[in-house]
Amino acid sequence: MKKAKSSARRGTVRRILGLMKPYAPVLILSLVLAVAVVTTTLTIPVLTGQAVDAILGKGKVDFPALGETLTKMCLVLGSTAAFQWCMTALTNRVAYGIVRDLRVAAFAKLQKLPLRYVDSHSHGDVVSRVITDVDQFSEGLLMGFAQLFTGVLTILMTLAFMFRLSAFITLVVICITPLSIFAAGFIARKSYVHFRDQSVKRGAMTAVVEEMVGGQSCVEAFNMQEKVCGKFNAADEDLRRASFKAVFYSSVTNPSTRFVNALVYAGVGISGALSALGGGITVGQLTAFLSYASQYAKPFNEISGVVTEMQNSVACAQRLFDLIDEKEEPADADGAAVLKDVRGNVALRNVRFSYRPDKPLIEGLDLEAEPGRRIAIVGPTGCGKTTLINLLMRFYDVDSGTIRVDGHDIRSVTRSSLRGSYGMVLQDTWLKHGTVRENIAMGKPDASGEEVEAAAKEAFAHGFIQRLPRGYDTVIGEDGDGLSAGQKQLLCIARVMLAVPPMLILDEATSSIDTRTEACIQKAFDKLMRGRTSFVVAHRLSTIRNADLILVMRDGRIIERGRHEELLAKGGFYAMLYNSQFEPS
């Protein structure tokens, strides 16, 4: 297990490095600037030592040499500031560029994932990966670019500067250094596991919050506040424990490395003092050595903090890569045909399908829908009505059997042409953030204003749209916030009225509309369905009396089929369903 986790972590780091390839020229330039920053920074202690040596004693100050040294120090400090600013600007550009590329890739992946993935994963967790985990990753990336480059260079170049002054004192520093490296490495390995667990728990809590906020009205209606709070508290407690462990291990890093760094400083002070007393170095050089000891020790503190933050970033990146690596919806078959001039002949032959292999849902389903016919699908909850719609649209592929449109197996045609041949109005409405006009014209973006208004009038939405603050240019919030359920459904109906597709799917399309408006909408649908193959899923059986064929489903099978009058005359399951809607309570 540990080997697998370690291998996964190394693979994630390699992928992160791969993301940097397009930015290689900028990275190289920032690395050059980092060398310049470190070089100028390490020049300051040398100049400080020269300034100290210029002050020989009371009344013995070499003012010309001191003035020249101070001038050099000012120039070096100015150059350091300029190099530092340029390096930071370049590293920020690279870091945010990589984050942008990663977020774009993750969102593009969501558009290619099959509906099965969306149905089987918490929406809150998916949102957490694309938003929160990417933000956490960017913070670690920025710290890595800003401090890791300069930190490593500072350590290496400081050793070179010290070695030039005194090989003996430098060896003392090198002998103590492994303690700091060992402490940082041990803590980094421990913190990675806990940071990954923290990311998972954060995603779980986001899912709980999104779920409960979205259903707040139901929570209050059923007095579930206490239970919901308990569920949130449990998720919050899991996140607290994971965060505590992650932060605890990461916080141990700094004092551990500071202790080792204090040993380095003490070692330099003692060995340097002995060397100065023996005439090996001057007092000014000892001053420079002590400055180098501080500068040498400081990057270890920074790098240990960077390494800890990078563990969090790698953990977040791995969750994001898991999303990006998900199996996409299978590509269209080679040479897939494009459906054109669709007549609407739909045939299902011996269709079998199940969401889980151990739990069959649809078995041996046969259906022939001739062009222009209205097919109603009825049955109890869970009998497979919506699943059948998903199969027709090829949101899911059949396990066996075939579905054909105008003689073409739908697996041999492009998904875009198949789905573009259907117009859908579902019970669950969805509207995007934008104007009313944009929402209606979603299926036909190039529609004129007159066409949009005509579709809205046919859907009986024109009246309430005119009463909105800016009419068709009124901006509605996410998922139609500010509109009633019935108004949102009318806009979805207008969307289909505008697109005028060759085939229709209506899944409880008037469930949120009042009875009077429903009667008017039904007339509009009758006009729209004329000459088009239509599949109508309905629970209110009074709305499908005029269907050409009614399919009665139960346990994934069609148990009855026929017209309304025929099925009532049989006195079977359909008659029982129909009569139950009119029985007195």
Side-chain angles (χ1 to χ4, degrees), residues 77 149 180 197 237 271 322 335 367 393 462 464 492 527 531:
L77 288 171
F149 283 172
S180 182
D197 187 44
E237 176 63 18
S271 57
D322 288 343
L367 171 62
M393 294 286 289
H462 182 70
F464 88 81
C492 292
K527 180 182 176 182

Side-chain angles (χ1 to χ4, degrees), residues 47-173:
L47 295 175
T48 303
Q50 292 176 0
V52 170
D53 287 337
I55 305 173
L56 303 176
K58 186 176 181 180
K60 298 180 180 180
V61 179
D62 188 348
F63 284 104
L66 184 60
E68 183 181 350
T69 302
L70 292 176
T71 302
K72 289 180 181 179
M73 289 179 69
C74 290
L75 291 173
V76 170
L77 288 171
S79 301
T80 303
F83 293 147
Q84 182 74 46
W85 186 90
C86 293
M87 185 190 73
T88 302
L90 291 176
T91 53
N92 284 354
R93 179 180 176 183
V94 174
Y96 286 119
I98 290 173
V99 168
R100 177 202 60 203
D101 296 343
L102 197 55
R103 185 171 277 145
V104 167
F107 192 77
K109 182 71 175 191
L110 286 175
Q111 313 309 310
K112 300 176 183 178
L113 289 176
L115 196 63
R116 188 186 299 271
Y117 178 87
V118 180
D119 288 343
S120 60
H121 286 75
S122 162
H123 295 181
D125 183 64
V126 174
V127 170
S128 179
R129 293 185 192 218
V130 178
I131 305 274
T132 309
D133 286 343
V134 173
D135 286 340
Q136 294 288 322
F137 173 68
S138 68
E139 291 177 11
L141 206 59
L142 282 171
M143 286 188 67
F145 285 144
Q147 299 178 15
L148 193 59
F149 283 172
T150 54
V152 173
L153 285 171
T154 299
I155 291 170
L156 296 176
M157 295 183 69
T158 301
L159 287 173
F161 273 74
M162 287 193 295
F163 195 81
R164 193 180 64 174
L165 293 175
S166 172
F168 170 69
I169 302 176
T170 306
L171 289 174
V172 172
V173 172

Side-chain angles (χ1 to χ4, degrees), residues 374 458 522-532:
R374 303 179 191 182
E458 287 192 30
Q522 201 62 49
K523 292 179 183 178
F525 274 149
D526 288 341
K527 180 182 176 182
L528 183 65
M529 288 189 287
R530 196 171 300 136
R532 293 182 175 84

Side-chain angles (χ1 to χ4, degrees), residues 408-420:
H408 298 280
D409 188 326
I410 62 173
R411 288 170 293 190
S412 67
V413 302
T414 62
R415 286 186 178 84
S416 60
S417 65
L418 172 68
R419 293 169 184 172

Side-chain angles (χ1 to χ4, degrees), residues 323-360:
L323 170 63
I324 293 175
D325 292 339
E326 281 291 336
K327 190 175 180 180
E328 295 181 3
E329 189 173 56
D332 292 330
D334 293 336
V338 177
L339 286 177
K340 295 180 180 178
D341 302 321
V342 176
R343 295 173 54 245
N345 183 277
V346 181
L348 289 79
R349 294 286 181 267
N350 196 30
V351 168
R352 296 172 60 90
F353 174 78
S354 62
Y355 293 104
R356 291 168 43 192
D358 60 332
K359 192 175 181 181

